[in-house]
Every structure is written in structure tokens, then in C-alpha cells.
Amino acid sequence: GWLPREPADFGDGGAFPEIHIPQFPLNMGREDLAPKREVLTVKTDSQGKVNFSAIVEQGRRPGEVVFSKPSDLVTKDVADDELQRPDEDLEKETTERTRAALEQKLNLKIKAAQPAAPVDKVAPAKYIRYTPANQ
């Protein structure tokens, strides 16, 4: 009955050779508890400098913006006209483009929910009386 499973079962010693099951004294050799290692390739730019942003971007969603260089922290000079609210024409144009895009997505979902082929009209039920031949 008894099988060593926990590290305490081994009592700071090795495995029991008379018990023929996989044994992991002190959890050595267990793949499920081993630290996961990911290998990153070293990327260089056109001048041969190593691009360390791969380390920072590891495990992030694709397309997520990650600021990894000191130059990303430098403030940018922005003109006042770039920070002003859009005029009514630009607002209407953006609203129309957004409405058209949402309408297109909605139409795709509606089409996906509809059956592929239209159902033909069902004829009325036809009843047939069954009489066995042996009677």
C-alpha cells in the first residue's frame, strides 16, 4: 500500500529501489515543477547594436506598445493646433466612418446567424395506413 509521493516521504534521502514507480526525491527530475525557460533570439539593428526590447516585450500581446528605450521618455514638442478639438466637419466624417464600420460588422454577424439555404415550404403531412400482409 504505501507509496512515496511527497519530499517528506524520502526523509532527506534517495529513492526506494524496491518500489517500482517513478520517484522524485527532493522533487529532482520532476518536469511539472521545473522552471520554464524561454530562449530569446538576440536582434540587432542596422549598425550591429543589440536590441534589448525583446526582453521587455516578452509575454506581451502582439501589437502592444512597449516603451523600452530612454529616448521613449523624451518629451515631444507639440504645436497648439494639433491639440485642438476637431471641427464639426471632421467630427461628422469620423462619425459616419464609425457608423459604417459598425454597420458592416453587424451585418456580417446577422448573415452568419442566418441559415445557409432558405427552407422550402413543407408540404402537408401524408398519412399511410399500414396493414401487415400476414393477417
Side-chain angles (χ1 to χ4, degrees):
W2 178 79
L3 298 173
R5 297 280 186 201
E6 301 296 321
D9 296 339
F10 297 101
D12 294 331
F16 296 93
E18 65 273 7
I19 300 176
H20 301 287
I21 62 164
Q23 301 174 43
F24 302 100
L26 304 177
N27 287 330
M28 291 187 296
R30 287 188 69 170
E31 292 180 5
D32 57 337
L33 296 178
K36 294 185 179 182
R37 294 184 178 101
E38 291 187 25
V39 177
L40 294 175
T41 57
V42 176
K43 296 179 182 178
T44 58
D45 60 3
S46 60
Q47 290 132 6
K49 293 182 182 176
V50 177
N51 184 4
F52 292 104
S53 65
I55 297 169
V56 178
E57 293 170 359
Q58 177 184 9
R60 302 280 183 159
R61 288 190 317 254
E64 187 175 352
V65 178
V66 178
F67 299 107
S68 61
K69 298 177 286 199
S71 62
D72 294 335
L73 298 173
V74 176
T75 59
K76 294 183 180 179
D77 294 329
V78 181
D80 289 337
D81 59 335
E82 292 179 20
L83 296 176
Q84 290 182 355
R85 289 187 165 268
D87 58 346
E88 286 187 28
D89 294 335
L90 186 60
E91 263 186 55
K92 286 180 183 177
E93 180 185 325
T94 305
T95 305
E96 186 62 32
R97 279 188 293 138
T98 305
R99 188 191 59 74
L102 288 172
E103 201 172 86
Q104 183 181 12
K105 279 190 167 189
L106 186 63
N107 287 338
L108 285 173
K109 289 199 182 259
I110 290 172
K111 282 183 183 179
Q114 292 177 346
V119 179
D120 293 333
K121 202 169 194 181
V122 179
K126 185 177 178 184
Y127 296 98
I128 300 172
R129 170 168 257 173
Y130 172 73
T131 53
N134 294 342
Q135 289 184 355

